[in-house]
Each structure stands twice: as structure tokens, then as C-alpha cells.
Amino acid sequence: MNVILFGPPGAGKGTQAKLLSSARGWVHLSTGDMMRSERSAGTALGAKFDEYMSQGKLVPDQLVLDLIRSKISNLATGAVFDGYPRTTAQAEALDQMLSGIGRKITKVLELKVSLEEVVGRIAGRVTCLDCGQIQHVSYISSLSDQTCKHCGSAKLVRRQDDSEEMARIRYNEYREKTEPVLAYYQKQHLVVGIDGLGSVDEVQKRLVQALSDGK
Ligand code: AMP
């Protein structure tokens, strides 16, 4: 199966994609993670990505396609796409690349979460540098006295673009450029709406249920 996890920033796509891909043995393809690792490696491409990411703007389609093309041509198992495609041009290119290897998108799972909910989540979101788990801390608390809920490490970091102001800019980008992609997949009857509120486990169960429904 080749599944797209769709939804605004902060909807839980990364967390849910990690769970789904490890449970099924699928590849987790997150263009945001790929861009952040280019940026941390200090490459010229990473610097280019940073120009857009640091402003909460979408990276231009051509750069995104150059980044993801080789990953798709080497796909050996199912895949969960997380944060990609984010424009209709990216969705069309993805269909072409998949059809080149005899595959297609099986389902688009749309995580539905309101603006106020995503802003609150993003402003409190941190990642553990030791175990990689994404989690939430209290809005006002300082990171220095917090530890990872999963492995106890004190190495919790906040993403550069995870402030309240940036969350609103990213949400606007989503509404303007990414939400229209849903219509592209609705025409193909691939979209299933999922309530994104609730615990990680509850949302994961809804996703698994939607994948097993034959629609
Ligand atoms: P994410 O980790 O998916 O929330 O992405 C973080 C940032 O990376 C976004 O706000 C964009 O600046 C950039 N980005 C990630 N994926 C894409 C994409 N498919 N198209 C354009 N920009 C992207």
C-alpha cells in the first residue's frame, strides 16, 4: 500500500506515520525530515531549504521533486507519505513517479484538526534527540527542566519553526496551497477523513480501521 497522511502542520502526521510504518514494515517518507537533515548536514541544498522553512513557507516544487525522486524510484515496500505532496503539482508528479514503478496511491488519510488545536500543539511540541520521539510539554514550561517521556533523556529540542507565530503562517500556507490537493484525490475517491483529536493510540486505531475498510 502507498498511503498519504494528509493534514495541517501539527495534525500528528509525523507521529502517526512513524507508528504506521513500523507496524507494517513500510517506508516512512517525510520531506520535512529529509530537508531538516540536509540543513543539519550544512549542505548548499540545506541552506536553500532553510530560506523557506525558516519563514514557514513551502519550498518550491522543483527542489522538493529533486529531493524525493530517488527515494520513490527505489521503493521496495509500501510507503507512508508524510508532508508530501503539498501542492497539486507535487501530487501530479508523485502519480507519474509511482506509475513509472508500477504503483499508485492506495489511500489518502486526512487528519482533521482545527487551527486553534494545531497552534497549541505546535507551540508545545519537542523532539528527543536521543530516541527521536515527538512529544508535548506545557506551553510555558522551560525545556531545561523537562525530560523525554519515552527514554528519560534531557536532550529535548524545539523545532526552529515551532512557534505560535510560525504555526499560524504554516497553517495559512496549508489552507492556500495544500488543502486544494484534496480535490485532486477526491476526484479519484481516495480520501478518507479521520478525526485527529484524541490520544495518539486513539488516532492510530482510526487510521488502521480506515486502512482496513475496503472503500
Ligand atoms: P514538516 O516537517 O512536514 O512540517 O515540514 C516543515 C517545513 O519543510 C515546511 O513548513 C516547509 O517549509 C518544508 N516542506 C516540507 N515538505 C514540503 C513539501 N512537500 N513541499 C514544500 N515544502 C515542504
Side-chain angles (χ1 to χ4, degrees):
M1 275 188 150
N2 301 295
V3 175
I4 296 174
L5 280 193
F6 202 90
K13 300 186 298 293
T15 303
Q16 297 296 339
K18 277 198 186 95
L19 286 174
L20 205 56
S21 57
S22 66
R24 308 245 167 165
W26 294 343
V27 184
H28 173 198
L29 291 174
S30 156
T31 42
D33 285 351
M34 292 172 207
M35 289 173 190
R36 278 183 288 278
S37 64
E38 285 287 336
R39 207 172 53 178
S40 321
T43 64
L45 194 56
K48 196 86 198 143
F49 293 147
D50 189 54
E51 279 176 32
Y52 301 91
M53 296 171 84
S54 61
Q55 294 180 56
K57 298 286 179 188
L58 290 191
V59 169
D61 288 338
Q62 196 51 52
L63 290 178
V64 181
L65 295 183
D66 291 347
L67 184 70
I68 194 122
R69 189 170 281 117
S70 64
K71 314 268 182 206
I72 292 175
S73 60
N74 290 325
L75 264 188
T77 62
V80 185
F81 294 95
D82 155 18
Y84 174 83
R86 266 177 152 105
T87 63
T88 305
Q90 289 180 20
E92 287 166 355
L94 175 60
D95 273 355
Q96 270 183 10
M97 290 186 278
L98 285 175
S99 104
I101 55 164
R103 308 258 192 110
K104 57 184 181 173
I105 293 298
T106 327
K107 239 167 221 186
V108 178
L109 303 174
E110 181 202 1
L111 287 171
K112 291 173 175 278
V113 185
S114 70
L115 168 63
E116 289 322 310
E117 175 71 19
V118 298
V119 168
R121 285 186 187 185
I122 284 180
R125 177 165 75 177
V126 295
T127 305
C128 174
L129 285 183
D130 280 329
C131 72
Q133 294 282 344
I134 300 164
Q135 52 211 278
H136 293 82
V137 292
S138 144
Y139 211 123
I140 41 165
S141 62
S142 134
L143 272 189
S144 57
D145 53 8
Q146 307 266 348
T147 51
C148 174
K149 290 173 191 146
H150 301 275
C151 74
S153 162
K155 292 190 198 152
L156 295 179
V157 289
R158 201 165 249 138
R159 262 170 56 174
Q160 203 184 42
D161 54 351
D162 274 355
S163 65
E164 179 173 340
E165 186 198 353
M166 292 290 280
R168 291 184 188 277
I169 297 172
R170 287 161 61 200
Y171 191 83
N172 285 341
E173 283 283 274
Y174 171 77
R175 290 299 299 272
E176 204 179 297
K177 298 175 185 158
T178 305
E179 215 170 44
V181 178
L182 275 180
Y184 176 83
Y185 290 115
Q186 265 152 356
K187 276 188 216 140
Q188 302 173 50
H189 309 289
L190 291 176
V191 181
V192 183
I194 307 283
D195 177 4
L197 285 185
S199 69
V200 169
D201 282 353
E202 282 164 349
V203 176
Q204 180 70 195
K205 279 195 186 111
R206 291 177 203 140
L207 292 172
V208 168
Q209 181 62 49
L211 286 176
S212 65
D213 287 348
K215 29 179 199 154

